[in-house]
Amino acid sequence: MSLVDTRTPDPKKFIKGATGDWEMVIGLEIHAQVTSESKLFSGSSTKFGNAPNSNVSFVDAAMPGILPTINQECVRQAVRTGLGLKAKINNRSIFDRKNYFYPDLPQGYQISQFKDPIVGEGIVYLDMGKDGEVEIGIERLHLEQDAGKSIHDQHPNMSFIDLNRSGVALMEIVSKPDIRSSEEARTYIAKIRTILRYLGTCDGNMEQGSLRADINVSVRSPGGEFGTRCEIKNVNSMRFAVAAIEYEARRQIDILEDGGKIDQETRLFDSKSGKTRSMRSKEEAHDYRYFPDPDLLPLEFDDEFVAALAKDLPELPDEKHDRFVSEYGITSYDASVLISSRSNADFFENVAKGRYGKLSANWVINEFFGRLAKEELDVSNSPISAKQLGGIIDLISSGDISGKIAKDLFEIVWGEGGDPADIVEKRSMKQVSDTGAIEKMIDEIISANPEQVEKVKLKPQLIGWFVGQVMKASQGKANPQAVNKILKEKLAL
Ligand code: ADP
Ligand code: MG
């Protein structure tokens, strides 16, 4: 890989050391399990949680004489992912053998792609909030087999093996060394996961290991030559990714400031201690002896195959974000929150269609998402539908209820269900905009509180106290604009 620095050093990201400032350089290799019914080269199921060794065919068990056959669905998924990463699709790619004896990959080698991957260079955009947009280059995406699992803790002197995962298709997505902070790395992983989920090419489930990252970290003096990197293997949560990067960068800075040098090595992150430790040095690195797998022809497809997949691609997060901003007139920040998943975005659109965008966004983000998070629910098992929330918003827009009453109504609909307009009608929750009724309440309050009336004449901001009294008397149902207007008239403010 030719290493080109595409970023301008940003002093806000520099790390203070004893001898001066330092800058992190990070590149990620993300392994994403391809969403597909069967494995990359066999018809075995990929279902998670099946009994050990039940998803294993002769191919996965590497029986002599058995030949691999490429799974077209995995190829389609890899191409679709490449398109989602705005990357170059290679119409001809090669499967290589990566020699490495894994007890949990019985072939004795992993089928992967080395020199000629299925997907080439692409771009991912990160929304870094007030720090603006950042562009991270994608170096490549290739297809490869996953390994099974060795189990060492169930027998005193034997190891067990579960080959269910062996041969499952993975996409390895390799970034350029364009990432400059742990926060950017976290945002990058989240963005890749969102893109994969929109496309439906990987479920993105980090707890189950469907998505995991190898993190390459080095440090340098700002804008200087790239330093020697260390690779932290198999990080399976965003929180761990941030902790591992912070620890590793500091460790390297301390060594360099002590006059030492960084050994290129593979390290592991221990989530209990929050530290990384050496797994193997470059000298111990495996000699993979890559060569094209003679059992597999080069993988070739034509432009029509790619064009057909491109045509059926769903709207992706970046495009949805921009459309939400222009179509609904909401802020870029709100749009970023709303597009975090396809189902969240769809919910918002169902609420906002034909309604005031900003008000809809506020209600979906603050009340609705806030409440879902509190109850550890998501849109799919929400007790409130988009139609019901839309109904509440309609009642606010028409002036039938105030924002405050709307919150009470939201609680009722959340807990008991029902049609918002019916509930408002039945429980007489309608806002009182009838000026006669409001005037009557105000007259009573004024005549009962002569001292407050004297005070407010000297200090007009005390009008708030009167507004409060009217709201109390009306049980929150008086229209606040009408109350303010009439109060000002009556008190001659
Ligand atoms: P390998 O296959 O040995 O891991 P690659 O060239 O494929 O090597 O690079 C792996 C990752 O390391 C890429 O994501 C790349 O961006 C990153 N990387 C390369 N050089 C550096 C560096 N000096 N500092 C941090 N990351 C780096
Ligand atoms: Mg690597």
Side-chain angles (χ1 to χ4, degrees), residues 60-263:
D60 313 313
M63 288 297 164
I66 299 289
L67 294 173
T69 313
I70 185 78
N71 176 346
Q72 258 213 50
E73 178 59 13
C74 296
V75 174
R76 272 194 290 272
Q77 292 287 57
V79 171
R80 294 177 71 242
T81 305
L83 293 168
L85 300 173
K86 302 171 173 57
K88 179 173 184 298
I89 308 298
N90 294 324
N91 293 30
R92 184 175 199 272
S93 63
I94 309 273
F95 284 106
D96 296 279
R97 288 187 179 180
K98 182 178 182 178
N99 284 278
Y100 182 134
F101 178 73
Y102 307 82
D104 44 17
L105 192 57
Q107 289 156 178
Y109 54 84
Q110 178 193 31
I111 305 179
S112 181
Q113 298 189 303
F114 183 47
K115 288 212 187 87
D116 302 282
I118 186 165
V119 175
E121 294 186 328
I123 300 178
V124 169
Y125 298 96
L126 306 184
D127 176 358
M128 299 307 299
K130 60 181 179 350
D131 288 340
E133 189 175 72
V134 168
E135 244 181 78
I136 306 298
I138 297 291
E139 174 71 20
R140 58 189 272 150
L141 175 157
H142 65 255
L143 277 168
E144 63 182 28
Q145 298 176 300
D146 202 353
K149 197 165 92 188
S150 297
I151 304 156
H152 305 294
D153 58 359
Q154 301 203 351
H155 192 279
N157 47 24
M158 279 197 277
S159 282
F160 293 121
I161 201 116
D162 177 5
L163 296 179
N164 279 358
R165 227 183 164 116
S166 177
V168 163
L170 298 180
M171 295 179 280
E172 179 169 334
I173 303 167
V174 182
S175 87
K176 301 203 180 246
D178 289 349
I179 299 166
R180 294 289 176 270
S181 69
S182 58
E183 189 48 27
E184 283 186 4
R186 195 192 63 73
T187 309
Y188 172 81
I189 299 172
K191 185 63 180 281
I192 292 279
R193 183 169 73 164
T194 307
I195 293 172
L196 297 174
R197 284 181 167 167
Y198 265 64
L199 291 163
T201 57
C202 167
D203 66 26
N205 193 330
M206 296 186 86
E207 300 85 66
Q208 290 177 5
S210 307
L211 191 87
R212 45 198 201 262
D214 296 344
I215 306 174
N216 296 270
V217 180
S218 65
V219 296
R220 63 175 180 179
S221 59
E225 299 257 313
F226 284 132
T228 304
R229 70 188 151 111
C230 289
E231 178 174 353
I232 310 161
K233 277 279 178 205
N234 257 326
V235 178
N236 65 353
S237 100
M238 298 201 229
R239 199 158 49 83
F240 294 166
V242 170
I245 291 168
E246 292 294 331
Y247 176 84
E248 181 58 21
R250 181 50 67 181
R251 185 189 73 86
Q252 293 182 13
I253 292 170
D254 289 346
I255 291 174
L256 293 169
E257 292 196 324
D258 272 353
K261 69 181 221 347
I262 306 300
D263 295 321

Side-chain angles (χ1 to χ4, degrees), residues 6 16 29 123 130 132 144 155 181 223 241 256-257 260 273 281 303 308 313 318 350 354 409 428 445 460-461 485:
T6 58
K16 288 258 169 303
E29 297 160 83
I123 300 178
K130 60 181 179 350
E144 63 182 28
H155 192 279
S181 69
L256 293 169
E257 292 196 324
S273 64
S281 69
D303 291 341
L313 235 44
D318 289 342
N350 288 332
L409 178 60
S428 10
I445 289 163
Q461 60 269 46
K485 185 162 168 281

Side-chain angles (χ1 to χ4, degrees), residues 359-409:
L359 184 64
S360 303
N362 280 344
W363 272 83
V364 170
I365 293 172
N366 299 326
E367 302 307 318
F368 180 67
F369 288 171
R371 189 63 201 264
L372 285 177
K374 208 165 118 201
E375 310 274 338
E376 295 184 17
L377 295 171
D378 57 54
V379 174
S380 67
N381 49 18
S382 156
I384 282 193
S385 67
K387 184 156 178 270
Q388 286 169 312
L389 185 52
I392 297 175
I393 293 170
D394 286 341
L395 291 162
I396 304 172
S397 304
S398 63
D400 282 334
I401 59 174
S402 64
K404 192 174 162 302
I405 295 284
K407 289 186 187 178
D408 298 339
L409 178 60

